[in-house]
Amino acid sequence: MPTFLSLRFREHWVRPALFFGNNPISLAGGAITTAAGVTMIGNWLMEMFAQPHPNPYLGIIFNLILPALFVLGLLIIPVGIFIRHQSLLKAGKIPAVYPKVDFNDRIFRHGVDIVLVATIINFLVVSMASYRGAAYMDSPQFCGASCHVMHPEYTAYKISPHSHVACVECHIGSGARSYFAAKVDGTKQLFEVAFNTYSRPIPSPVQNLRPARVICEGCHTPAKFVGERLLVKSSFADDEQNTETQSVVVLHLGGLDGLSHLTGIHGVHLGHIEYIATDESRTTIPWVSKRNPDGSETAFTASSLNGATPKGERRLMDCIDCHNRAAHTFVTAEEALNSAMAIGAISPSLPWVHKEGLVLLKATYGSQADASTRIPAELEAFYRSSNPDVLSSKADLVKAAGKELVTLYSQNVFPDMKVTWGTHPNHIGHMSYPGCFRCHDGDHNAKDGSSIPQDCAVCHNLLAVDESKPKVLADLGIQQ
Ligand code: HEC
Ligand code: HEC
Ligand code: HEC
Ligand code: HEC
Ligand code: HEC
């Protein structure tokens, strides 16, 4: 028998604990803990052998609520003991000697063994549950899926190149301080959700994000020389044949080249360009400055400023000033439709599908559910009235097109969060949003007469612009 079960220990601890513990409150606590513990262990075992259930609300139950109940049960046990002790004390019924604990009694001895084993198990369960609870709160499922406020970002995230990078990797730093700051922020947000006072849409840019170079350079090094990057984009016209044209550009992405020169789009901006934006979304940038190698500064100002320096934060340009939608790319309706048609998810062989698809995507719907019934129905109605042959000969394609339009809509428009086409602009490029042309608009001039260049060839070679079957794609063997 272990020494701590010595006589003294038995008389002063085990006996009173058993005596006072025998009360309805403590027994209920024990029952709650046991039930929660058994359910959690069962769930962990099941997860070992089967796919975890993807439902985020089950995650909340198993990783946060059950552990809380488990601990609550444990806490209730001493509360019951305390209350019984107090009430017996008041009534003067505390026995001088507690009922005998007889270790020669086999049943009793096993009872004590069970309590000991249960304590060890409880300890293991609590450590495992807190570890899992913390891990769960860091999971994209918890951040994105269990909170409908995050629905737009979570949806875009799941189809982004970063779909396997956890939200916390970008949004929360490592170390106790950022963890604490995030939890304080999160609690504030929880209240906003509970009282329905959060802003719709969630504003962008995120003010308390760490500097992008700290975030992104944890995984990507700007010193990587990317060189040239080929980009092919298709667009379809609003005519009956949905005439396809393509643009082919070679982007001078550059980087740090073999001679340690910073070149191209990636090389020239980082670390020495600052700007002042005069709007929240950093779209209007009338003032830009560049630190030259000799330490001097060249300011480029928009002519509207008349040489003055606008008020506002001077921001050092970093990754997010171009890659602001790295993990949450929302596209325009045109971009969404063109990409879907280019890969055949919406068949370009359906007459007028580009024109009609765009009308349906841009229409106003009360909710995503509303859109998901109305879009396919209206596409079908369109063909029934204008082109019944198509409906009979290409029924499958019409159906698939309707389904795909719903997908495109629900990846980009979230009526309940007031996120619609264009709510979150993308700063890469210049076709759909100002992007690079916020500065490279030909109207940012320095005192010495130079300006931030808008010359097309500075950023890319234009091999084809909106051409039908560009020859260069055939030459490259990309298309016939
Ligand atoms: C690769 C890094 C990265 C990952 C991973 C990431 N985010 Fe973001 N997120 C950003 C950046 C950068 C912004 C800021 C955009 C800006 O400043 O314009 C942002 C902005 C947001 C915003 C503000 C609204 C908006 O659309 O701009 C929300 C909300 C958000 N993220 C939620 C999430 C959630 C939820 C997840 C996980 C499911 C997640 N993020 C994963 C980088 C990331
Ligand atoms: C935890 C690691 C991690 C962090 C942090 C991270 N990324 Fe990524 N990034 C990845 C991975 C993984 C991929 C996917 C590579 C692939 O699909 O081949 C990727 C892909 C990309 C791509 C390429 C997309 C494409 O179309 O090819 C860009 C651009 C990018 N990241 C930018 C960023 C920016 C900007 C940030 C900071 C806001 C960032 N990343 C933060 C891991 C990370
Ligand atoms: C001046 C704008 C700008 C800045 C600043 C910028 N990028 Fe980029 N980046 C681009 C453009 C443009 C592309 C090509 C986009 C495309 O292909 O559509 C690109 C492409 C990439 C890619 C994909 C490269 C590949 O191999 O295909 C990664 C990864 C990336 N950027 C990471 C970063 C990181 C990390 C930073 C910050 C250290 C950064 N970028 C800063 C404009 C920028
Ligand atoms: C905040 C302002 C700003 C934004 C946004 C911006 N740039 Fe720049 N860019 C500059 C400045 C300033 C210079 C340096 C001009 C100089 O040296 O005279 C520059 C230089 C360049 C150069 C080198 C030009 C040369 O003469 O060789 C390239 C290429 C370039 N930018 C591409 C881009 C691309 C692509 C984007 C969008 C993805 C972009 N820039 C967005 C400010 C900006
Ligand atoms: C400051 C750099 C910069 C300048 C100047 C610039 N572009 Fe671009 N352009 C880009 C970037 C970056 C992309 C790639 C966008 C993306 O990744 O989607 C692009 C893409 C394109 C495309 C591809 C089609 C598309 O929808 O993206 C065309 C066409 C194009 N540019 C035309 C032009 C023309 C014409 C000019 C001259 C008036 C010009 N660009 C000047 C940076 C620039």
Side-chain angles (χ1 to χ4, degrees):
M1 189 179 305
T3 50
F4 58 85
L5 286 188
S6 67
L7 200 64
R8 230 182 100 74
F9 180 77
R10 257 186 272 157
E11 284 197 344
H12 290 275
W13 290 102
V14 179
R15 279 197 214 169
L18 291 176
F19 176 74
F20 291 118
N22 188 6
N23 70 74
I25 300 180
S26 299
L27 290 177
I32 293 177
T33 294
T34 315
V38 168
T39 320
M40 279 191 294
I41 294 174
N43 177 51
W44 297 340
L45 289 178
M46 246 166 61
E47 273 184 20
M48 265 187 235
F49 299 111
Q51 278 286 324
H53 204 288
N55 184 333
Y57 298 104
L58 281 184
I60 292 189
I61 293 177
F62 280 117
N63 294 312
L64 302 177
I65 296 182
L66 280 178
L69 281 178
F70 185 88
V71 174
L72 182 76
L74 285 183
L75 292 178
I76 285 179
I77 297 175
V79 169
I81 293 181
F82 178 76
I83 292 176
R84 175 142 196 246
H85 180 265
Q86 292 303 91
S87 74
L88 288 183
L89 194 67
K90 245 192 214 150
K93 285 195 188 150
I94 302 247
V97 178
Y98 294 106
K100 206 164 161 46
V101 173
D102 185 358
F103 278 96
N104 292 323
D105 176 353
R106 249 185 62 221
I107 296 181
F108 177 76
R109 217 166 52 222
H110 287 319
V112 171
D113 286 350
I114 288 172
V115 171
L116 270 178
V117 171
T119 308
I120 295 170
I121 292 180
N122 285 351
F123 180 75
L124 290 178
V125 167
V126 170
S127 12
M128 176 85 170
S130 28
Y131 170 76
R132 288 182 51 115
Y136 177 68
M137 281 202 277
D138 278 356
S139 73
Q141 255 210 354
F142 176 73
C143 305
S146 54
C147 174
H148 69 277
V149 177
M150 297 286 157
H151 188 201
E153 282 72 25
Y154 187 56
T155 308
Y157 160 87
K158 280 191 297 187
I159 51 170
S160 87
H162 290 111
S163 57
H164 286 70
V165 175
C167 320
V168 293
E169 294 260 11
C170 292
H171 284 279
I172 303 173
S174 53
R177 219 177 120 221
S178 22
Y179 190 80
F180 184 71
K183 290 296 164 241
V184 170
D185 218 40
T187 312
K188 192 179 126 235
Q189 287 162 17
L190 214 57
F191 276 106
E192 288 177 357
V193 172
F195 294 108
N196 205 5
T197 58
Y198 55 88
S199 48
R200 303 175 182 79
I202 302 188
S204 209
V206 179
Q207 294 303 342
N208 54 3
L209 216 58
R210 289 166 302 153
R213 301 198 56 182
V214 176
I215 307 174
C216 316
E217 288 179 22
C219 298
H220 304 282
T221 162
K224 180 181 170 215
F225 184 72
V226 179
E228 308 286 306
R229 189 174 182 186
L230 182 72
L231 193 72
V232 181
K233 289 214 175 177
S234 292
S235 41
F236 296 82
D238 275 347
D239 55 2
E240 186 171 356
Q241 291 76 35
N242 312 299
T243 304
E244 183 180 7
T245 54
Q246 285 170 312
S247 292
V248 184
V249 307
V250 175
L251 284 172
H252 306 317
L253 219 44
L256 191 67
D257 73 8
L259 301 171
S260 296
H261 292 145
L262 291 168
T263 71
I265 298 169
H266 267 175
V268 297
H269 296 95
L270 296 173
H272 57 271
I273 291 179
E274 289 184 310
Y275 69 85
I276 298 176
T278 53
D279 63 344
E280 285 277 299
S281 65
R282 300 182 187 146
T283 303
T284 311
I285 302 182
W287 186 92
V288 183
S289 93
K290 184 183 82 167
R291 187 155 300 282
N292 301 306
D294 64 4
S296 64
E297 192 182 77
T298 308
F300 300 92
T301 54
S303 51
S304 59
L305 282 181
N306 291 323
T309 307
K311 283 205 186 69
E313 179 207 352
R314 251 178 97 137
R315 199 181 129 80
L316 184 67
M317 198 172 170
D318 66 22
C319 319
I320 285 179
D321 291 303
C322 298
H323 294 283
N324 65 324
R325 312 298 322 165
H328 323 287
T329 321
F330 300 108
V331 294
T332 61
E334 288 81 359
E335 286 173 319
L337 187 55
N338 282 331
S339 322
M341 289 179 67
I343 58 167
I346 293 176
S347 171
S349 75
L350 291 171
W352 299 109
V353 76
H354 185 266
K355 183 164 191 260
E356 189 58 23
L358 214 49
V359 169
L360 290 176
L361 283 179
K362 287 185 173 176
T364 307
Y365 305 94
S367 64
Q368 290 197 340
D370 182 28
S372 72
T373 48
R374 275 174 56 196
I375 291 176
E378 287 179 24
L379 187 67
E380 229 181 275
F382 166 77
Y383 285 116
R384 191 171 300 118
S385 68
S386 70
N387 219 330
D389 290 354
V390 171
L391 207 52
S392 52
S393 63
K394 295 186 173 169
D396 286 357
L397 292 180
V398 173
K399 211 171 180 165
K403 215 172 140 207
E404 181 66 14
L405 286 172
V406 170
T407 304
L408 300 179
Y409 180 90
S410 50
Q411 283 169 347
N412 291 283
V413 184
F414 305 82
D416 56 335
M417 283 305 295
K418 297 202 166 58
V419 171
T420 183
W421 305 107
T423 300
H424 290 298
N426 189 341
H427 296 326
I428 288 266
H430 53 82
M431 294 309 233
S432 311
Y433 302 103
C436 314
F437 285 9
R438 289 173 300 160
C439 301
H440 291 266
D441 61 352
D443 184 43
H444 282 71
N445 305 309
K447 289 214 172 74
D448 65 5
S450 64
S451 57
I452 304 179
Q454 198 186 18
D455 178 4
C456 315
V458 160
C459 301
H460 42 48
N461 286 346
L462 295 170
L463 300 180
V465 177
D466 285 333
E467 280 179 32
S468 166
K469 298 204 187 310
K471 181 172 169 300
V472 59
L473 289 183
D475 291 346
L476 289 169
I478 293 176
Q479 253 172 30
Q480 295 180 343

